[in-house]
């Protein structure tokens, strides 16, 4: 798979521990483990849609690390670029389904997660330079050595030319617990934005990145950085997709939410599928919205990623775009 990869994602991986009952964690009696982590879920989502994907990350030398590799293989994601940090444990994340729309997360990533121990020597240059889609996250530049490694990786790749059918995607992935302050994050986002062509974030994330929650203004500021395509997720108001020439709001798909976790990663997997398929931005956003809605109506993240048939069925019932 290495020489024919279509997508390389870089970043978080771990084991999600989901309660099998709703309500506060103190009252939960049974749990189930699933593969998790933003970058990992995006790779799984794109693989579920038929693409050759891999994750550049690290796990600990423990049973959960073995589980991660086996789960990736089962989902059709190449585990060749999953390294091991002997002195650290594979991250575990507990989810609390209270409320289900925005479940609180309890991260066990101390003293630091293996996926943030990426060094420049870990970068697979041949893949980074040639893969059609490279997917990075804001969390990847929250600490060293991952910060320097990400910036060096992006510099080695270079910003793809418009129309080249190569994309470098940034998921803003704002997680306050990983940063000293929003100002610190904004400075690092500025550096990332000079290298990428596609940006994805919700209102809170774009506010940290470019200083405004207003979707249209945020998209304009992202485009001013040289980004070709900006997606601003607006929850129940849909998603704004913007290019230097147009801006369109694609309405959401109302669903009964079981667990909101993973919806954004499903959005990312479908976005990658749309890029690789040569779709126009609005069609990409329609399918990405549908993917997010499907996963929000299910428990878990990686395991919940939709098939293309499921996406097409839901998109066929999409609300009209005004």
């Amino acid at each position: 798979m290495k020489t024919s990869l279509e997508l390389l994602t870089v970043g978080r991986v771990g084991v999600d521990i989901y309660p099998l009952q709703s309500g506060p964690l103190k009252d939960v009696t049974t749990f189930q483990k699933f593969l998790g982590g933003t970058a990992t879920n995006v790779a799984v989502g794109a693989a579920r849609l038929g693409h050759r994907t891999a994750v550049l990350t690290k796990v600990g030398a423990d049973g959960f690390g073995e589980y991660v590799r086996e789960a990736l293989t089962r989902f059709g994601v190449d585990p060749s670029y999953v390294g091991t940090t002997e002195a650290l444990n594979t991250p575990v994340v507990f989810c609390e389904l209270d409320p289900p729309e925005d479940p609180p997360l309890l991260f066990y990533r101390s003293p630091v997660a293996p996926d943030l121990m990426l060094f420049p020597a870990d970068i697979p240059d041949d893949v980074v330079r040639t893969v059609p889609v490279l997917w990075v996250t804001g969390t990847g530049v929250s600490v060293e050595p991952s910060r320097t490694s990400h910036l060096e990786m992006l510099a080695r790749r270079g910003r793809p030319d418009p129309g080249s059918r190569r994309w470098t995607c940034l998921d803003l992935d704002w997680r306050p617990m990983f940063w000293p302050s929003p100002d610190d994050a904004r400075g690092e986002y500025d550096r990332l934005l000079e290298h990428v062509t596609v940006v994805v974030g919700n209102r809170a994330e774009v506010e940290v990145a470019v200083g405004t929650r207003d979707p249209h203004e945020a998209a304009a500021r992202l485009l001013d950085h040289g980004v070709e395509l900006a997606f601003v997720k607006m929850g129940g108001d849909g998603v704004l997709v913007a290019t230097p020439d147009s801006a369109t709001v694609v309405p959401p798909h109302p669903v009964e939410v079981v667990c909101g976790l993973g919806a954004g990663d499903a959005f990312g997997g479908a976005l990658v599928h749309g890029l690789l398929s040569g779709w126009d931005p609005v069609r990409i956003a329609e399918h990405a919205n549908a993917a997010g809605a499907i996963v929000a109506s299910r428990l878990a993240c990686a395991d919940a990623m939709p098939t293309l048939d499921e996406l097409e069925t839901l998109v066929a019932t999409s609300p009209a775009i005004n």
Side-chain angles (χ1 to χ4, degrees):
M1 292 177 64
K2 292 182 182 180
T3 58
S4 59
L5 286 177
E6 297 174 284
L7 167 68
L8 179 69
T9 66
V10 188
R12 285 212 310 278
V13 68
V15 179
D16 290 345
I17 309 296
Y18 281 82
L20 300 184
Q21 299 85 40
S22 298
L25 278 180
K26 69 181 182 66
D27 297 327
V28 175
T29 58
T30 54
F31 298 83
Q32 186 173 354
K33 75 177 189 298
F34 298 92
L35 181 66
T38 298
T40 304
N41 292 333
V42 172
V44 170
R48 185 68 59 83
L49 297 174
H51 297 288
R52 298 179 298 277
T53 73
V55 187
L56 174 60
T57 190
K58 288 186 177 180
V59 295
D62 50 39
F64 280 146
E66 295 175 10
Y67 165 75
V68 165
R69 287 188 174 89
E70 292 178 1
L72 287 170
T73 302
R74 186 172 67 250
F75 284 122
V77 177
D78 187 345
S80 301
Y81 305 106
V82 180
T84 302
T85 301
E86 297 288 340
L88 298 173
N89 293 326
T90 303
V92 173
V93 183
F94 281 86
C95 165
E96 184 174 22
L97 299 178
D98 186 23
E101 297 83 4
D102 188 19
L105 295 176
L106 185 59
F107 286 93
Y108 287 83
R109 294 170 60 89
S110 297
V112 65
D115 54 55
L116 290 173
M117 295 302 292
L118 290 174
F119 291 86
D122 298 316
I123 300 171
D125 273 351
D126 55 337
V127 176
V128 164
R129 294 179 193 277
T130 62
V131 69
V133 181
L134 178 68
W135 185 281
V136 299
T137 73
T139 299
V141 294
S142 60
V143 298
E144 295 289 5
S146 182
R147 175 182 299 148
T148 293
S149 299
H150 272 69
L151 293 171
E152 183 164 333
M153 176 169 48
L154 292 170
R156 293 182 194 180
R157 178 172 174 81
R159 178 179 258 170
D161 295 327
S164 67
R165 295 188 62 80
R166 293 172 66 246
W167 300 269
T168 302
C169 302
L170 169 62
D171 178 356
L172 294 175
D173 188 39
W174 163 243
R175 301 284 183 174
M177 70 285 294
F178 298 154
W179 292 92
S181 71
D183 287 341
D184 288 282
R186 183 172 301 161
E188 297 304 328
Y189 283 139
D190 277 343
R191 300 170 74 185
L192 289 174
L193 288 171
E194 300 309 311
H195 296 278
V196 302
T197 54
V198 181
V199 177
V200 186
N202 59 31
R203 292 180 200 182
E205 290 169 332
V206 296
E207 182 178 23
V208 173
V210 293
T212 179
R213 293 179 63 90
D214 178 82
H216 288 272
E217 178 60 25
R221 294 182 187 183
L222 290 170
L223 295 170
D224 285 344
H225 280 273
V227 170
E228 296 177 39
L229 190 56
F231 294 86
V232 182
K233 294 179 284 189
M234 304 184 294
D237 295 322
V239 60
L240 171 70
V241 53
T243 72
D245 301 318
S246 65
T248 304
V249 174
V250 176
H253 290 273
V255 294
E256 183 176 345
V257 175
V258 173
C259 179
L261 292 178
D265 302 335
F267 187 103
L271 190 165
V272 169
H273 174 69
L275 292 174
L276 292 170
S277 300
W279 291 351
D280 67 77
V282 172
R283 186 179 182 190
I284 293 174
E286 289 176 326
H287 283 73
N289 255 357
I294 289 169
V295 170
S297 69
R298 299 170 174 174
L299 185 65
C301 297
D303 290 74
M305 294 295 164
T307 65
L308 187 56
D309 284 345
E310 290 173 325
L311 279 188
E312 297 290 3
T313 297
L314 187 55
V315 168
T317 66
S318 296
I321 297 174
N322 294 326

